[in-house]
Amino acid sequence: MSTTQITLDCTRTVNDIVAEHPATVAVFSAFGVDTCCGGKHSVEEVVRRHGIDAPTLCEALSEAVRAG
């Protein structure tokens, strides 16, 4: 079984990532990230503001994209 490496650009906004990968909405929601009003912020900014562990979020987002 091969796995596909997914790289998400965390300088992009939450809305940009959600628009390209709709499956990530559930992940952002699980981490308490508002994809509506907070979606205009970059993932980097959201991680800082919410005190989210960036590697954990990135892995969860990547899994959602792979499962997509």
Side-chain angles (χ1 to χ4, degrees):
M1 172 166 74
S2 68
T3 59
T4 303
Q5 182 69 20
I6 304 295
T7 304
L8 296 174
D9 180 359
C10 290
T11 62
R12 294 176 63 202
T13 67
V14 171
N15 283 344
D16 287 344
I17 292 173
V18 167
E20 188 172 334
H21 306 286
T24 60
V25 170
V27 175
F28 283 120
S29 181
F31 279 81
V33 176
D34 179 5
T35 58
C36 179
C37 298
K40 66 181 179 184
H41 301 290
S42 71
V43 174
E44 290 176 334
E45 187 175 345
V46 166
V47 166
R48 279 193 305 273
R49 285 183 174 198
H50 292 278
I52 297 170
D53 181 66
T56 303
L57 175 60
C58 288
E59 179 57 31
L61 290 169
S62 294
E63 286 179 23
V65 170
R66 281 191 297 268

